[in-house]
Amino acid sequence: MTEEEEMEQGRLLADLRDGKAAPGVDKRLAATAALLQLALDPKVARALESGAAPSLRRTPRWSRRIAVAAFAIAASFLVWLAVRPVKAPAPSPEIAKAQLDAAKSADPASVDMAMKGYRQDLVNIGLLKGAEDTHARADTAIAAGNFDAARDALSTLKGRGGFIERDAWFRLATIELRAGRTDAAIANADRGLALGRPTDMFTVNLLLARAAAHKARGELTQASEDLHAAIVLLDDMSAEALREK
Amino acid sequence: MRNLDDPEWLAKERALVDRAKAGSHKAFVAIYSEFSAALFAVFFLIVHNLAQANDVRSHTFLMGWKDLAKFSSQRSIYFWLRAIGVNKAKRLKRNDKRDAPLPEEEDDVDALLGPMNMDMESGLDLPRMKRRVHERLDQLGDGNHQRVLRLFYLEELSHEECAAALGMTMGAFYTALSRAHAAFRKLWDVPDAA
């Protein structure tokens, strides 16, 4: 290999670390790069621990001052973005299936799990801006059984409004359910539903969480009312999806 | 990751799988917690991209949950989930128009990983893999190769910062990085002493 070729391979390997495509990279060296990144890169270690994909963007130190100035400008734009009402995206087929399963079993745990992958999709299309790290922290805390830390993380989303906050109330409700605190679960679901009940998956999730809490308390009438409301919404959303097709 | 051939674990895992097949989400979440990190690592080794590896993991567990009734192997469910994800990861790689297609003879993850084949067969042992990487880095000695690799992967530095820290031009840094990878790979391919 000539020195020029070595230099080109090095540039491609460097791009791979940053998550960029590197057509033409030697496959064995690419696998080696992945091994080194798995073993050494703190971002990969965090991804392995949290179950969430972190941002791949690396901020060069020389540009941090510029980044601070840009942040100040971007922050005001983000505030505007946060307060502007954004229509919730349609649920994926996996979410819809998990919700139907949860409606049958009155157990929203699988919905929370299915939402985990879906939240990543929302991050990728920029609809969960600013909340991705919060969910990752909550996931890590829940996996470790540390419900207090999960509550603290998700509580930072209070006041965000829209489906971001309603999703946070749903997660807080499921945490209380797991902790056996059904009264707090109902209160959290109520607070989420008080923010609005549009026909979307976040309303369905809140209803499913509240139904599960009522069921756990033996309040079967209230549980069936919430389950019925959730199924009606799911039915409406299916009809809407079919109309769109 | 635990020893997947351990009969005690297999019995426990089979009970979890049976409960998940009966509709227990909790049991499936337990399976997810057990294998999520190791599977993520395997997928990352194929796609070389954190976000894509995470997508493949999400797909794997969603498909696993959907098709769980079809799982009937006597081996750990890890291998079934891994097969689902590896196929998805390879498809993703082939469909990625920005990347060169993988030649068929190289389209074998185990071959690309060299002596970690054994671990891939018995379930990826992440702590052991990390230990082995550090051992091989130490064996590179005090020269530039080890310094370049540690600086580039351990510190969150940009390409330019790495070159500056090493006192090199950008071109010299890329050449050094390529050579360091090749030197590491050579050591990596040497089997462990028995």
Side-chain angles (χ1 to χ4, degrees), chain A residues 6-7 9-11 13-15 17-19 23 27-28 30-35 37-44 46 48 51 53 56 60-61 94 101 105 110 113 116-117 120, chain B residues 25 28-29 32 37 40 44-45 48-50 54 57 62 65 98-99 102 106 112 129-130 133-134 152-154 156-157 159 161 171 174-175 177-179 181 184-185 188-189:
Chain A
E6 280 183 318
M7 195 192 302
Q9 278 296 311
R11 194 184 59 74
L13 290 165
D15 281 348
R17 184 203 68 172
D18 298 344
K27 293 294 169 190
R28 275 164 57 83
T32 311
L35 276 170
Q37 208 173 348
L38 263 176
L40 303 178
D41 192 322
K43 282 194 187 225
V44 182
R46 283 197 290 275
L48 282 169
L56 290 164
R61 285 177 187 171
E94 288 82 6
D101 287 347
S105 63
S110 65
M113 200 179 98
K116 199 171 171 182
Q120 189 54 47
Chain B
H25 302 121
F28 196 71
V29 169
Y32 177 93
F40 177 88
F44 180 78
L45 289 169
H48 308 140
N49 179 301
L50 289 178
N54 207 42
R57 175 169 56 182
L62 284 170
W65 173 248
R98 297 163 304 170
D99 206 349
L102 284 168
E106 284 190 2
L112 290 173
M129 192 205 75
K130 285 188 178 183
V133 166
H134 282 282
F152 188 63
Y153 288 104
L154 263 175
E156 298 191 42
L157 298 182
H159 305 182
E161 286 170 327
Y174 288 137
T175 306
L177 189 65
S178 173
R179 287 178 183 168
H181 275 85
F184 177 86
R185 181 72 207 200
W188 181 259
D189 286 338

Coordinates of all heavy atoms in Angstrom, one line a residue, chain A residues 6-7 9-11 13-15 17-19 23 27-28 30-35 37-44 46 48 51 53 56 60-61 94 101 105 110 113 116-117 120, chain B residues 25 28-29 32 37 40 44-45 48-50 54 57 62 65 98-99 102 106 112 129-130 133-134 152-154 156-157 159 161 171 174-175 177-179 181 184-185 188-189:
Chain A
E6 N -2.5 4.7 2.3 CA -2.6 4.6 3.7 C -3.3 5.8 4.3 O -4.1 5.7 5.2 CB -1.2 4.4 4.3 CG -0.6 3.1 4.2 CD 0.8 3.0 4.9 OE1 1.6 3.9 4.7 OE2 1.0 2.0 5.6
M7 N -2.9 6.9 3.8 CA -3.5 8.2 4.3 C -5.0 8.2 4.1 O -5.8 8.5 4.9 CB -2.9 9.4 3.6 CG -3.2 10.7 4.2 SD -2.7 12.1 3.2 CE -1.0 11.8 2.9
Q9 N -6.9 5.5 3.7 CA -7.5 4.5 4.6 C -7.7 5.1 6.0 O -8.7 4.9 6.7 CB -6.6 3.3 4.8 CG -6.8 2.3 3.6 CD -8.2 1.6 3.6 OE1 -8.7 1.2 4.6 NE2 -8.8 1.7 2.4
G10 N -6.7 5.9 6.5 CA -6.8 6.5 7.8 C -7.9 7.5 7.8 O -8.6 7.6 8.8
R11 N -8.1 8.3 6.8 CA -9.2 9.3 6.7 C -10.5 8.5 6.8 O -11.4 9.0 7.6 CB -9.1 10.1 5.5 CG -9.9 11.4 5.5 CD -9.9 12.1 4.2 NE -10.4 11.3 3.1 CZ -11.7 11.0 2.8 NH1 -12.6 11.4 3.6 NH2 -12.0 10.2 1.8
L13 N -11.1 5.6 8.1 CA -11.3 5.0 9.5 C -11.7 6.1 10.5 O -12.5 5.8 11.4 CB -10.0 4.3 9.9 CG -9.6 3.0 9.1 CD1 -8.2 2.6 9.4 CD2 -10.5 1.9 9.6
A14 N -11.1 7.2 10.3 CA -11.4 8.4 11.2 C -12.9 8.7 11.0 O -13.6 9.0 12.0 CB -10.5 9.6 10.9
D15 N -13.4 8.7 9.7 CA -14.8 9.0 9.5 C -15.7 8.0 10.1 O -16.8 8.3 10.6 CB -15.1 9.1 8.0 CG -14.6 10.4 7.4 OD1 -14.3 11.3 8.2 OD2 -14.5 10.5 6.2
R17 N -15.4 6.4 12.9 CA -15.5 6.7 14.3 C -16.6 7.7 14.5 O -17.4 7.6 15.5 CB -14.2 7.2 14.9 CG -14.3 7.4 16.4 CD -13.3 8.4 16.9 NE -13.6 9.7 16.5 CZ -12.9 10.8 16.9 NH1 -12.0 10.7 17.8 NH2 -13.2 12.0 16.5
D18 N -16.7 8.6 13.6 CA -17.7 9.7 13.7 C -19.1 9.3 13.1 O -20.0 10.2 13.0 CB -17.2 11.0 13.1 CG -15.9 11.4 13.8 OD1 -15.7 10.9 14.9 OD2 -15.2 12.3 13.3
G19 N -19.3 8.1 12.7 CA -20.6 7.6 12.2 C -20.8 8.0 10.8 O -21.9 7.9 10.3
P23 N -17.2 4.6 2.1 CA -17.1 3.7 1.0 C -15.6 3.4 0.7 O -14.8 4.3 0.6 CB -17.9 4.3 -0.1 CG -17.9 5.8 0.2 CD -17.8 5.9 1.7
K27 N -12.4 -3.8 4.8 CA -13.4 -4.3 5.7 C -12.8 -4.9 7.0 O -13.4 -4.8 8.1 CB -14.2 -5.4 5.0 CG -15.1 -4.9 3.9 CD -16.2 -4.0 4.4 CE -16.9 -3.3 3.3 NZ -17.8 -2.2 3.7
R28 N -11.6 -5.5 6.9 CA -11.0 -6.0 8.1 C -10.6 -4.9 9.0 O -10.7 -4.9 10.2 CB -9.8 -6.9 7.7 CG -10.2 -8.3 7.4 CD -9.1 -9.1 6.7 NE -7.8 -9.0 7.5 CZ -7.6 -9.9 8.5 NH1 -8.4 -10.8 8.8 NH2 -6.4 -9.8 9.1
A30 N -12.0 -2.0 9.0 CA -13.2 -1.4 9.6 C -13.7 -2.2 10.8 O -14.2 -1.6 11.8 CB -14.3 -1.3 8.5
A31 N -13.6 -3.5 10.7 CA -14.0 -4.3 11.8 C -13.1 -4.1 13.0 O -13.6 -4.0 14.2 CB -14.0 -5.8 11.4
T32 N -11.8 -3.9 12.7 CA -10.9 -3.5 13.8 C -11.2 -2.2 14.4 O -11.2 -2.1 15.7 CB -9.4 -3.4 13.2 OG1 -9.2 -4.6 12.4 CG2 -8.4 -3.3 14.3
A33 N -11.6 -1.2 13.6 CA -12.0 0.1 14.1 C -13.2 -0.1 15.0 O -13.3 0.6 16.1 CB -12.3 1.0 13.0
A34 N -14.2 -0.9 14.6 CA -15.4 -1.1 15.4 C -15.0 -1.8 16.8 O -15.5 -1.4 17.8 CB -16.4 -2.0 14.7
L35 N -14.1 -2.7 16.7 CA -13.6 -3.4 18.0 C -13.0 -2.3 18.9 O -13.3 -2.3 20.1 CB -12.6 -4.4 17.7 CG -13.0 -5.8 17.3 CD1 -11.9 -6.6 16.8 CD2 -13.7 -6.5 18.4
Q37 N -13.5 0.8 18.9 CA -14.5 1.8 19.4 C -15.4 1.2 20.5 O -15.7 1.8 21.5 CB -15.4 2.2 18.2 CG -15.9 3.6 18.4 CD -16.6 4.1 17.1 OE1 -16.5 3.5 16.1 NE2 -17.4 5.2 17.3
L38 N -15.7 -0.1 20.3 CA -16.5 -0.8 21.3 C -15.8 -0.8 22.7 O -16.4 -0.7 23.7 CB -16.7 -2.2 20.9 CG -18.1 -2.6 20.2 CD1 -18.0 -4.0 19.8 CD2 -19.2 -2.3 21.1
A39 N -14.5 -1.1 22.6 CA -13.7 -1.3 23.8 C -13.3 0.0 24.5 O -13.2 0.1 25.7 CB -12.4 -2.1 23.5
L40 N -13.1 1.1 23.7 CA -12.5 2.3 24.2 C -13.4 3.5 24.2 O -13.3 4.4 25.1 CB -11.2 2.7 23.4 CG -10.1 1.6 23.3 CD1 -9.0 2.1 22.5 CD2 -9.6 1.2 24.7
D41 N -14.3 3.7 23.2 CA -15.0 4.9 23.1 C -16.0 5.1 24.2 O -16.9 4.3 24.3 CB -15.7 4.9 21.7 CG -16.2 6.3 21.3 OD1 -16.7 7.0 22.2 OD2 -16.2 6.7 20.2
P42 N -15.9 6.2 25.0 CA -16.9 6.4 26.1 C -18.4 6.5 25.5 O -19.3 6.1 26.2 CB -16.5 7.7 26.7 CG -15.4 8.2 25.9 CD -14.9 7.2 24.9
K43 N -18.5 7.0 24.3 CA -19.9 7.1 23.8 C -20.5 5.8 23.5 O -21.7 5.6 23.8 CB -19.9 7.9 22.5 CG -19.7 9.4 22.7 CD -20.1 10.2 21.5 CE -19.7 11.6 21.8 NZ -20.5 12.7 21.5
V44 N -19.7 4.8 23.0 CA -20.2 3.5 22.8 C -20.5 2.8 24.2 O -21.5 2.2 24.3 CB -19.2 2.6 22.0 CG1 -19.8 1.3 21.7 CG2 -18.9 3.3 20.7
R46 N -21.4 4.3 26.8 CA -22.7 4.9 27.3 C -23.9 4.3 26.6 O -24.9 4.0 27.2 CB -22.7 6.4 27.2 CG -21.9 7.1 28.2 CD -22.2 8.6 28.3 NE -21.8 9.3 27.1 CZ -20.6 9.8 27.0 NH1 -19.7 9.7 27.9 NH2 -20.3 10.5 25.9
L48 N -24.0 1.3 25.3 CA -24.2 -0.1 25.8 C -24.9 -0.1 27.1 O -25.8 -0.9 27.4 CB -22.9 -0.8 25.9 CG -22.2 -1.3 24.7 CD1 -20.8 -1.7 24.9 CD2 -23.0 -2.4 24.1
G51 N -28.8 1.8 26.5 CA -29.7 1.2 25.6 C -30.2 2.2 24.5 O -31.0 2.0 23.7
A53 N -29.1 5.3 21.6 CA -28.0 5.7 20.7 C -27.7 7.2 21.0 O -28.6 8.0 21.0 CB -28.4 5.6 19.3
L56 N -23.9 11.5 17.8 CA -22.5 11.2 17.3 C -21.7 12.4 17.0 O -20.6 12.4 16.6 CB -22.6 10.4 15.9 CG -23.2 9.0 16.1 CD1 -23.6 8.4 14.8 CD2 -22.1 8.1 16.7
P60 N -15.6 20.2 18.4 CA -14.2 20.5 18.6 C -14.0 21.6 19.6 O -14.8 22.5 19.7 CB -13.8 21.0 17.2 CG -14.9 20.7 16.3 CD -16.1 20.5 17.1
R61 N -13.0 21.4 20.4 CA -12.8 22.4 21.6 C -12.6 23.8 21.1 O -13.1 24.7 21.7 CB -11.6 22.0 22.4 CG -11.9 20.8 23.3 CD -10.7 20.3 24.0 NE -11.0 19.1 24.7 CZ -10.2 18.3 25.3 NH1 -8.9 18.6 25.3 NH2 -10.5 17.2 25.9
E94 N -45.7 -1.4 15.2 CA -45.3 -2.1 16.4 C -45.9 -1.5 17.7 O -46.3 -2.2 18.6 CB -43.8 -2.0 16.6 CG -43.0 -2.9 15.6 CD -42.8 -2.2 14.2 OE1 -43.2 -1.0 14.1 OE2 -42.4 -2.8 13.3
D101 N -52.2 -5.2 22.5 CA -51.8 -6.2 23.5 C -52.0 -5.7 24.9 O -52.6 -6.4 25.8 CB -50.3 -6.6 23.4 CG -50.1 -7.5 22.1 OD1 -51.1 -7.9 21.5 OD2 -49.0 -7.7 21.7
S105 N -54.4 -7.0 28.0 CA -53.8 -7.5 29.3 C -53.9 -6.5 30.4 O -53.6 -6.8 31.5 CB -52.4 -8.0 29.1 OG -51.6 -6.8 28.7
S110 N -45.3 -3.4 28.1 CA -44.8 -3.6 26.7 C -44.9 -2.4 25.8 O -44.1 -2.2 24.9 CB -45.6 -4.7 26.0 OG -46.9 -4.3 25.9
M113 N -41.9 -0.4 26.5 CA -40.8 -1.0 25.8 C -40.8 -0.6 24.3 O -39.8 -0.3 23.7 CB -40.7 -2.5 26.0 CG -39.4 -3.0 25.8 SD -39.3 -4.8 26.1 CE -39.5 -5.4 24.4
K116 N -39.8 2.8 23.4 CA -38.3 3.1 23.6 C -37.7 3.2 22.2 O -37.0 4.2 21.9 CB -37.7 1.9 24.3 CG -36.4 2.3 24.9 CD -36.0 1.1 25.9 CE -34.6 1.3 26.3 NZ -34.1 0.2 27.2
G117 N -38.0 2.2 21.3 CA -37.4 2.3 20.0 C -38.1 3.4 19.2 O -37.4 4.1 18.4
Q120 N -36.7 6.8 19.8 CA -35.4 7.0 19.0 C -35.7 7.5 17.6 O -35.1 8.4 17.1 CB -34.6 5.7 18.9 CG -33.3 5.9 18.4 CD -32.4 6.9 19.1 OE1 -32.4 6.9 20.3 NE2 -31.8 7.8 18.4
Chain B
H25 N -45.2 -9.7 29.3 CA -44.2 -8.7 28.8 C -43.0 -8.6 29.8 O -41.9 -8.3 29.3 CB -44.9 -7.4 28.7 CG -46.1 -7.4 27.8 ND1 -47.4 -7.1 28.3 CD2 -46.2 -7.7 26.5 CE1 -48.2 -7.2 27.2 NE2 -47.6 -7.6 26.2
F28 N -40.4 -11.0 28.8 CA -39.7 -10.6 27.6 C -38.7 -9.4 27.9 O -37.6 -9.3 27.4 CB -40.6 -10.2 26.5 CG -40.0 -10.2 25.1 CD1 -39.5 -11.3 24.5 CD2 -39.7 -8.9 24.5 CE1 -38.9 -11.3 23.3 CE2 -39.1 -8.9 23.3 CZ -38.6 -10.1 22.7
V29 N -39.2 -8.5 28.8 CA -38.3 -7.4 29.2 C -37.1 -8.0 29.9 O -35.9 -7.5 29.7 CB -39.1 -6.4 30.1 CG1 -38.1 -5.4 30.8 CG2 -40.1 -5.7 29.3
Y32 N -34.8 -9.1 27.3 CA -34.2 -7.9 26.7 C -33.1 -7.4 27.5 O -32.0 -7.1 27.0 CB -35.3 -6.8 26.5 CG -34.8 -5.5 26.0 CD1 -34.9 -5.2 24.6 CD2 -34.2 -4.5 26.8 CE1 -34.4 -4.0 24.1 CE2 -33.8 -3.3 26.3 CZ -33.8 -3.1 25.0 OH -33.4 -1.9 24.5
A37 N -27.3 -5.5 25.6 CA -26.0 -4.9 25.4 C -25.1 -5.8 24.5 O -24.5 -5.2 23.6 CB -25.3 -4.7 26.8
F40 N -26.3 -5.4 20.9 CA -26.0 -4.1 20.4 C -24.5 -4.1 19.9 O -24.2 -3.6 18.9 CB -26.2 -3.1 21.5 CG -25.8 -1.7 21.1 CD1 -26.7 -0.8 20.5 CD2 -24.5 -1.2 21.3 CE1 -26.3 0.4 20.1 CE2 -24.1 0.0 20.9 CZ -25.0 0.9 20.3
F44 N -23.2 -3.5 16.2 CA -22.3 -2.4 16.0 C -21.1 -2.8 15.2 O -20.6 -2.1 14.3 CB -21.9 -1.8 17.3 CG -20.9 -0.6 17.2 CD1 -21.4 0.6 16.8 CD2 -19.6 -0.8 17.4 CE1 -20.5 1.7 16.7 CE2 -18.7 0.3 17.2 CZ -19.2 1.5 16.9
L45 N -20.6 -4.1 15.5 CA -19.5 -4.6 14.8 C -19.8 -4.8 13.3 O -18.9 -4.8 12.4 CB -19.0 -5.9 15.4 CG -18.4 -5.8 16.8 CD1 -18.3 -7.2 17.4 CD2 -17.0 -5.1 16.7
H48 N -21.0 -0.6 12.1 CA -20.1 0.4 12.5 C -20.7 1.8 12.7 O -20.1 2.8 12.3 CB -19.0 0.6 11.4 CG -18.3 -0.7 11.0 ND1 -18.0 -1.0 9.7 CD2 -17.9 -1.7 11.7 CE1 -17.5 -2.2 9.6 NE2 -17.4 -2.7 10.8
N49 N -21.9 1.8 13.2 CA -22.6 3.1 13.4 C -23.6 2.9 14.5 O -24.4 2.0 14.5 CB -23.4 3.4 12.0 CG -24.2 4.6 12.1 OD1 -25.0 4.8 13.0 ND2 -23.9 5.5 11.2
L50 N -23.4 3.8 15.5 CA -24.2 3.7 16.8 C -25.7 3.7 16.5 O -26.5 2.9 17.0 CB -23.8 4.8 17.8 CG -22.5 4.6 18.4 CD1 -22.2 5.8 19.3 CD2 -22.3 3.4 19.2
N54 N -28.4 0.7 17.0 CA -29.6 0.8 17.9 C -30.9 0.5 17.1 O -31.8 -0.2 17.7 CB -29.6 2.2 18.4 CG -30.3 2.3 19.8 OD1 -30.1 1.4 20.6 ND2 -31.2 3.2 20.0
R57 N -31.1 -3.2 16.8 CA -31.5 -3.8 18.1 C -33.0 -3.7 18.3 O -33.7 -4.6 18.7 CB -30.8 -3.2 19.3 CG -31.3 -3.7 20.6 CD -30.4 -3.3 21.8 NE -30.2 -1.8 21.8 CZ -29.4 -1.2 22.7 NH1 -28.7 -2.0 23.6 NH2 -29.3 0.0 22.7
L62 N -38.4 -6.3 18.5 CA -39.8 -6.2 18.1 C -40.1 -7.5 17.3 O -41.2 -8.0 17.5 CB -40.0 -4.9 17.2 CG -40.1 -3.6 18.0 CD1 -40.1 -2.5 17.1 CD2 -41.4 -3.6 18.9
W65 N -40.4 -10.4 19.6 CA -41.6 -10.5 20.4 C -42.8 -11.0 19.5 O -43.6 -11.8 19.9 CB -41.9 -9.1 21.0 CG -43.3 -8.9 21.6 CD1 -44.3 -8.2 21.1 CD2 -43.7 -9.5 22.8 NE1 -45.4 -8.3 22.0 CE2 -45.1 -9.1 23.0 CE3 -43.1 -10.4 23.7 CZ2 -45.8 -9.5 24.1 CZ3 -43.9 -10.8 24.8 CH2 -45.2 -10.4 25.0
R98 N -24.5 4.6 0.2 CA -23.3 5.4 0.4 C -22.1 4.5 0.6 O -21.0 4.9 0.6 CB -23.5 6.3 1.5 CG -24.6 7.3 1.3 CD -24.9 7.9 2.7 NE -25.3 6.9 3.6 CZ -25.5 7.1 4.9 NH1 -25.3 8.2 5.4 NH2 -25.8 6.1 5.7
D99 N -22.4 3.2 0.9 CA -21.3 2.3 1.3 C -21.0 1.3 0.2 O -21.9 1.0 -0.6 CB -21.6 1.6 2.6 CG -20.4 1.2 3.3 OD1 -19.3 1.3 2.8 OD2 -20.5 0.8 4.5
L102 N -20.5 -5.3 0.3 CA -19.6 -6.3 0.9 C -19.4 -7.4 -0.1 O -20.4 -8.0 -0.5 CB -20.2 -6.8 2.2 CG -20.2 -6.0 3.4 CD1 -21.0 -6.6 4.5 CD2 -18.8 -5.8 3.9
E106 N -16.4 -11.9 2.1 CA -16.1 -11.2 3.3 C -17.3 -10.9 4.1 O -17.2 -10.3 5.2 CB -15.4 -9.9 2.9 CG -13.9 -10.1 2.5 CD -13.2 -8.8 2.4 OE1 -13.8 -7.7 2.7 OE2 -12.0 -8.8 2.1
L112 N -14.5 -11.5 10.0 CA -14.0 -10.1 10.2 C -13.4 -9.9 11.6 O -12.5 -9.2 11.8 CB -15.0 -9.1 9.9 CG -15.5 -8.9 8.4 CD1 -16.7 -8.0 8.3 CD2 -14.3 -8.4 7.6
M129 N -13.8 -9.3 25.7 CA -13.3 -8.7 24.5 C -12.6 -7.4 24.8 O -11.5 -7.1 24.3 CB -14.6 -8.4 23.6 CG -14.2 -7.9 22.2 SD -15.5 -7.0 21.5 CE -15.3 -5.4 22.4
K130 N -13.1 -6.6 25.8 CA -12.5 -5.3 26.2 C -11.1 -5.6 26.8 O -10.1 -4.9 26.4 CB -13.3 -4.6 27.2 CG -14.6 -3.9 26.6 CD -15.2 -3.0 27.6 CE -16.4 -2.4 26.9 NZ -17.1 -1.4 27.8
V133 N -8.7 -6.3 24.0 CA -8.3 -5.1 23.2 C -7.2 -4.4 24.0 O -6.2 -4.0 23.4 CB -9.5 -4.2 23.0 CG1 -9.1 -2.8 22.5 CG2 -10.5 -4.8 22.0
H134 N -7.4 -4.2 25.3 CA -6.4 -3.5 26.1 C -5.1 -4.2 26.2 O -4.0 -3.6 26.1 CB -7.0 -3.3 27.6 CG -8.0 -2.1 27.6 ND1 -7.6 -0.8 27.6 CD2 -9.3 -2.1 27.7 CE1 -8.6 0.0 27.7 NE2 -9.7 -0.8 27.7
F152 N -7.2 8.7 19.9 CA -8.3 8.8 18.9 C -9.6 8.2 19.5 O -10.7 8.8 19.3 CB -7.9 8.2 17.6 CG -9.0 8.4 16.5 CD1 -9.2 9.7 16.1 CD2 -9.7 7.4 16.0 CE1 -10.1 10.0 15.1 CE2 -10.6 7.7 15.0 CZ -10.8 9.0 14.5
Y153 N -9.5 7.1 20.2 CA -10.8 6.4 20.6 C -11.2 6.8 22.0 O -12.3 6.8 22.4 CB -10.7 4.9 20.4 CG -10.7 4.5 19.0 CD1 -9.6 4.1 18.3 CD2 -11.9 4.6 18.2 CE1 -9.6 3.8 16.9 CE2 -12.0 4.2 16.9 CZ -10.9 3.8 16.3 OH -10.9 3.5 14.9
L154 N -10.2 7.0 22.9 CA -10.5 7.2 24.3 C -10.9 8.7 24.6 O -11.9 8.9 25.3 CB -9.3 6.9 25.2 CG -9.2 5.6 25.9 CD1 -7.9 5.4 26.6 CD2 -10.4 5.3 26.8
E156 N -12.4 12.3 23.5 CA -13.3 12.7 22.5 C -12.8 13.9 21.7 O -13.3 15.0 21.7 CB -14.7 13.1 23.1 CG -15.2 11.8 23.8 CD -16.7 12.1 24.3 OE1 -17.5 12.6 23.5 OE2 -17.0 11.7 25.4
L157 N -11.7 13.7 20.9 CA -11.1 14.7 20.2 C -11.4 14.7 18.7 O -11.7 13.6 18.2 CB -9.5 14.6 20.3 CG -8.9 14.7 21.7 CD1 -7.4 14.6 21.7 CD2 -9.3 16.0 22.4
H159 N -10.5 15.1 14.6 CA -9.3 14.7 13.8 C -8.2 15.8 14.0 O -7.0 15.4 14.2 CB -9.7 14.6 12.4 CG -10.8 13.6 12.1 ND1 -11.3 13.3 10.8 CD2 -11.6 13.0 12.9 CE1 -12.3 12.5 10.9 NE2 -12.5 12.3 12.2
E161 N -7.7 18.0 16.4 CA -7.1 18.0 17.7 C -6.2 16.9 17.9 O -5.1 17.0 18.6 CB -8.2 18.0 18.8 CG -9.0 19.3 18.9 CD -10.3 19.2 19.7 OE1 -10.9 18.1 19.7 OE2 -10.7 20.1 20.4
G171 N -2.4 14.9 7.2 CA -2.0 13.8 6.3 C -1.2 12.8 7.1 O -1.5 11.6 7.0
Y174 N -3.5 10.8 9.5 CA -4.3 9.8 8.9 C -3.4 8.6 8.5 O -3.8 7.4 8.7 CB -5.0 10.3 7.6 CG -6.1 11.3 7.9 CD1 -6.3 12.5 7.2 CD2 -7.1 11.0 8.9 CE1 -7.3 13.3 7.5 CE2 -8.1 11.9 9.2 CZ -8.2 13.0 8.5 OH -9.3 13.9 8.7
T175 N -2.2 8.8 8.1 CA -1.3 7.7 7.7 C -1.0 6.9 9.0 O -1.0 5.7 9.0 CB 0.0 8.3 7.1 OG1 -0.3 9.1 6.0 CG2 0.9 7.1 6.7
L177 N -2.8 6.7 11.7 CA -4.0 6.0 12.2 C -4.1 4.7 11.4 O -4.4 3.7 12.0 CB -5.2 7.0 12.0 CG -6.5 6.5 12.6 CD1 -6.4 6.4 14.1 CD2 -7.7 7.4 12.2
S178 N -3.9 4.8 10.1 CA -4.1 3.6 9.2 C -3.0 2.6 9.7 O -3.4 1.4 9.8 CB -3.9 4.0 7.8 OG -3.8 2.9 7.0
R179 N -1.8 3.0 9.9 CA -0.7 2.1 10.3 C -1.0 1.5 11.6 O -0.7 0.3 11.9 CB 0.6 2.8 10.2 CG 1.1 3.0 8.8 CD 2.4 3.8 8.8 NE 2.8 4.0 7.4 CZ 3.7 4.9 7.0 NH1 4.4 5.5 7.9 NH2 4.0 5.1 5.8
H181 N -3.9 0.9 13.0 CA -5.0 -0.1 12.9 C -4.4 -1.4 12.4 O -4.7 -2.4 12.8 CB -6.1 0.4 11.9 CG -7.1 1.3 12.6 ND1 -7.0 2.6 12.8 CD2 -8.3 1.0 13.1 CE1 -8.0 3.1 13.4 NE2 -8.9 2.1 13.6
F184 N -2.4 -3.1 15.0 CA -3.3 -3.7 16.0 C -3.9 -4.9 15.5 O -4.0 -6.0 16.1 CB -4.3 -2.7 16.4 CG -5.3 -3.2 17.4 CD1 -5.0 -3.2 18.8 CD2 -6.5 -3.8 17.0 CE1 -5.9 -3.7 19.7 CE2 -7.4 -4.3 17.9 CZ -7.1 -4.3 19.3
R185 N -4.4 -4.9 14.2 CA -5.1 -6.0 13.6 C -4.2 -7.2 13.5 O -4.6 -8.4 13.8 CB -5.5 -5.6 12.2 CG -6.3 -6.7 11.5 CD -7.7 -6.9 12.1 NE -8.2 -8.3 12.0 CZ -9.4 -8.6 12.1 NH1 -10.4 -7.7 12.3 NH2 -9.8 -9.8 11.9
W188 N -4.1 -8.6 16.9 CA -5.4 -9.2 17.2 C -5.6 -10.6 16.6 O -6.2 -11.4 17.3 CB -6.5 -8.2 16.7 CG -7.9 -8.6 17.0 CD1 -8.8 -9.2 16.2 CD2 -8.5 -8.5 18.3 NE1 -9.9 -9.5 16.8 CE2 -9.8 -9.0 18.1 CE3 -8.2 -7.9 19.5 CZ2 -10.8 -9.0 19.1 CZ3 -9.1 -7.9 20.5 CH2 -10.4 -8.5 20.3
D189 N -5.0 -10.8 15.5 CA -5.2 -12.0 14.8 C -4.4 -13.2 15.4 O -4.5 -14.3 15.0 CB -5.0 -11.9 13.3 CG -6.1 -11.2 12.6 OD1 -7.2 -11.2 13.1 OD2 -5.9 -10.6 11.5

